[in-house]
Amino acid sequence: MHIVVCLKQVIDPEITPKYFKIDPETNRPDKSDTDLVLDSFAENALELAIQLRDKIPGATVTALCLGDDESEEVLRRALAFTANAVVRVWDEEWENLDGQAVGHILAQTIKSLGGVQLVLTGYQASDIEEGLVGPVMAEELGIPCVTLVSDLEVEENSAKATVEVEGGYAVVSVPSPAVFTIISSETNVPRLPKVKDIRLARSKPIVLLESEDLNLDHERCQPGVKLERAYVLKKEVACEVLPGNDGAELASELADRLFALKVI
Amino acid sequence: MSRILVFANQQGTGLSSGAKEALAFGSRLASSTGGEVRSVTFGPFAEAGAKEAIASGASIAYTISNPLLTEYDVELFVNSIQTVFQQSGADILILSFDKMGKDLVGRLATRNCASAITEVVDFHTSNDKPTWIRPIYGDKAYGEYTTTRSKVVVGIRQKSQELAVIDEKAVGEIIPIDYSPSEEMIVTKLVVKIQSALSDIRLEDASIIVSGGRGVGGPEGFNDLQTLAKLLGGTLGASRAACDAGWVPSNLQVGQTGAVVAPDLYIAVGISGASQHLAGITNAKTVVAINTDPEAPIYKRANIGVVADYKTVIPALTEKLKKVLV
Ligand SMILES: Cc1cc2nc3c(=O)[nH]c(=O)nc-3n(C[C@H](O)[C@H](O)[C@H](O)COP(=O)(O)OP(=O)(O)OC[C@H]3O[C@@H](n4cnc5c(N)ncnc54)[C@H](O)[C@@H]3O)c2cc1C
Ligand SMILES: Nc1ncnc2c1ncn2[C@@H]1O[C@H](COP(=O)(O)O)[C@@H](O)[C@H]1O
């Protein structure tokens, strides 16, 4: 069984707001103060992919990333998680792709890799959060897509997915191959890779595919949206810090304030 | 001039809250581009939905009353919306980017070679052409986007719109569409559905929320927060860190990827105030933060700050309130 997981490199979503700036020239975040990391839901998807592989004899995991050479870091991370193979796709012309174009290119890449049973993505990338790549790939590949999946159980020709629904959870069954967009849950918390695996990851090969290696539709590689302007909004509220020397005093002060505001 | 089609999904016989927002957004867009809004509703109660859509600003309301469309199924809905989108000749398709919208927007855009733009909260227009506005980078910034294709599928962020004024006297035409999706299209089968009985009040509807984060330190601390929440007639919430740690169930998560809440009082305990968390409490009226770190970003959003270890404050607060409230 072949499991493909799609990994995006993003600027650290947990950056302290005070250090977050947008460069008005490029409309992109100022990278000087930030780290690049593996997208957080994609990391949950990677963890799930590895867990599934380890349960299924003979299964393999391929991690895919569309990105420049800097983004090889996320593939090294996938190798440290013990992914079996990693593939990077890139072309200089792909600076300003949107989720739809990425979905097309990744779908064509998956076709070029041969058969696949499960395709896992994060549900929304932690930078622009388009939430498009998974469903777009499914449409391109002509296979089902289940979104907001927190867990998966794989069977011979189908998979059972635990999904978030209004007011609770549901388990649904779909025939495979299928695409699943993954959310975080207590069962897919990313592992801490072993030191040995991190070391081994450094020397493993990263396959590079370029646009001519894939059967791409030029139209579909053009972004459908164009970012005209990006800006940081400062939304600061004046905070009244309550006086008090200990918990009891503060609690009493807080209770009084809440009554005065008539919120309780 | 633009022709706008809104997917007006129902919850029972009434329109869903997402549909109401999508219609409000569509109507606003129509009045600034000089276009018109049409809607589409499905299932045995489609006509009731169509009437409500007309009262919310649609001039033509399409219906597909096929009983197969009573329960949501992604394939049936994609195909049915697609049929109406084509027949209506609309160039802008608007859906709520709710749990269903997350399934539908990308697929419908791809099927129509349309642009797709999600999590939209607002727009402005020049020469009747919309520029779409949406938060980016975990709500740390905003981006303004134009689209490059002749059609666009738009996903509206949940809880971002003021609802349209209902005008019962509004007139509009209901047009039934003759389309029968077939049962063979269904590929996703429901195995079980588990309604979570863990919280008595839906976070979205709560007027008081006591929310805990990593700073609470473990599941035991949440018992104290639960006691306080109960006492106040409110409900328990949490940050993603607390949910991921398994201290509380993940349906208690507040934020960009959790519930978007709008309580009168939000008490954030041991929560640092990451932008993704704050995205869920934009519409909270009074925010109280209890945090040991005076530099925590939550104090930039909180109206009242208590810089202290919550373990010393919460029990004392609960005791004091008990005397007055019970
Ligand atoms: C794509 C994406 C989506 C996300 N979506 C969400 C979301 O929907 N909701 C969400 O919440 N997060 C979300 N996050 C995570 C978010 O970025 C933060 O990591 C998370 O909110 C941090 O949770 P926290 O504040 O509980 O923990 P921390 O940031 O670790 O903060 C803990 C706080 O507790 C304080 N503290 C410690 N001990 C005590 C004590 N004894 N008393 C009082 N205070 C104490 C500390 O000073 C600290 O400020 C998302 C992240 C990504 C990348
Ligand atoms: N450039 C990329 N390379 C590989 N995977 C990607 C890329 N962009 C997005 N993805 C995947 O698609 C998911 C959703 O991204 P998005 O649709 O951009 O919000 C991410 O969590 C990744 O799993």
Side-chain angles (χ1 to χ4, degrees), chain B residues 143-158:
Chain B
E144 301 192 349
Y145 291 85
T146 52
T147 53
T148 59
R149 308 215 166 101
S150 58
K151 289 187 178 174
V152 55
V153 182
V154 183
I156 305 296
R157 175 175 279 208
Q158 279 183 280

Side-chain angles (χ1 to χ4, degrees), chain A residues 6-9 39 41-42 64-67 99 102 106 120-125 127-134:
Chain A
C6 300
L7 306 179
K8 183 180 191 182
Q9 190 179 49
D39 163 45
F41 295 114
L64 263 187
C65 173
L66 187 163
V102 170
L106 291 179
L120 269 46
T121 75
Y123 112 93
Q124 259 173 308
D127 50 0
I128 311 292
E129 299 138 5
E130 285 185 285
L132 289 171
V133 169

Side-chain angles (χ1 to χ4, degrees), chain B residues 61-326:
Chain B
Y62 299 101
T63 56
I64 301 182
S65 43
N66 194 299
L68 265 187
L69 298 171
T70 314
E71 290 285 331
Y72 173 64
D73 174 79
V74 51
E75 303 295 331
L76 295 182
F77 274 45
V78 167
N79 285 296
S80 301
I81 297 173
Q82 171 66 4
T83 304
V84 180
F85 189 32
Q86 277 177 340
Q87 286 193 22
S88 69
D91 43 27
I92 300 177
L93 173 62
I94 299 178
L95 299 89
S96 167
F97 205 54
D98 54 11
K99 292 198 168 88
M100 263 181 226
K102 292 190 166 108
D103 276 351
L104 301 170
V105 172
R107 300 204 34 194
L108 286 160
T110 303
R111 213 166 270 200
N112 289 285
C113 289
S115 295
I117 177 102
T118 58
E119 301 284 16
V120 171
V121 297
D122 207 353
F123 64 89
H124 56 72
T125 53
S126 67
N127 299 328
D128 290 349
K129 215 179 149 5
T131 296
W132 311 99
I133 303 173
R134 53 159 298 175
I136 49 179
Y137 299 105
D139 273 50
K140 284 187 274 294
Y142 279 77
E144 301 192 349
Y145 291 85
T146 52
T147 53
T148 59
R149 308 215 166 101
S150 58
K151 289 187 178 174
V152 55
V153 182
V154 183
I156 305 296
R157 175 175 279 208
Q158 279 183 280
K159 297 265 174 94
S160 68
Q161 304 301 307
E162 297 222 5
L163 299 189
V165 189
I166 297 288
D167 176 5
E168 298 291 354
K169 290 195 212 75
V171 281
E173 195 184 345
I174 297 181
I175 303 183
I177 298 278
D178 184 24
Y179 172 70
S180 314
S182 75
E183 213 150 341
E184 281 82 72
M185 283 177 184
I186 302 176
V187 292
T188 314
K189 302 229 161 29
L190 184 67
V191 182
V192 278
K193 195 163 176 173
I194 305 143
Q195 217 67 24
S196 40
L198 288 146
S199 147
D200 354 334
I201 313 167
R202 261 167 48 93
L203 275 171
E204 284 85 350
D205 305 330
S207 55
I208 296 182
I209 297 172
V210 181
S211 214
R214 200 190 321 259
V216 172
E220 308 78 28
F222 273 90
N223 293 336
D224 294 343
L225 302 193
Q226 174 77 301
T227 311
L228 176 62
K230 275 238 168 80
L231 183 65
L232 294 172
T235 192
L236 192 63
S239 74
R240 177 166 156 194
C243 295
D244 285 357
W247 300 344
V248 286
S250 58
N251 59 338
L252 295 192
Q253 184 175 318
V254 171
Q256 190 193 326
T257 30
V260 176
V261 300
D264 295 327
L265 176 62
Y266 188 84
I267 306 182
V269 184
I271 292 178
S272 63
S275 62
Q276 295 90 351
H277 186 80
L278 299 185
I281 59 168
T282 324
N283 297 322
K285 289 212 188 74
T286 300
V287 175
V288 175
I290 305 178
N291 195 307
T292 41
D293 174 11
E295 296 295 317
I298 188 73
Y299 289 119
K300 298 232 187 298
R301 172 62 186 87
N303 306 85
I304 299 174
V306 179
V307 183
D309 183 338
Y310 86 96
K311 287 191 211 104
T312 67
V313 180
I314 295 291
L317 178 66
T318 309
E319 278 315 306
K320 183 159 166 89
L321 293 177
K322 250 189 203 154
K323 285 186 195 128
V324 192
L325 296 174
V326 219

Side-chain angles (χ1 to χ4, degrees), chain A residues 101-113:
Chain A
V102 170
H104 171 67
I105 297 165
L106 291 179
Q108 293 309 112
T109 310
I110 290 170
K111 282 184 195 163
S112 81
L113 296 177

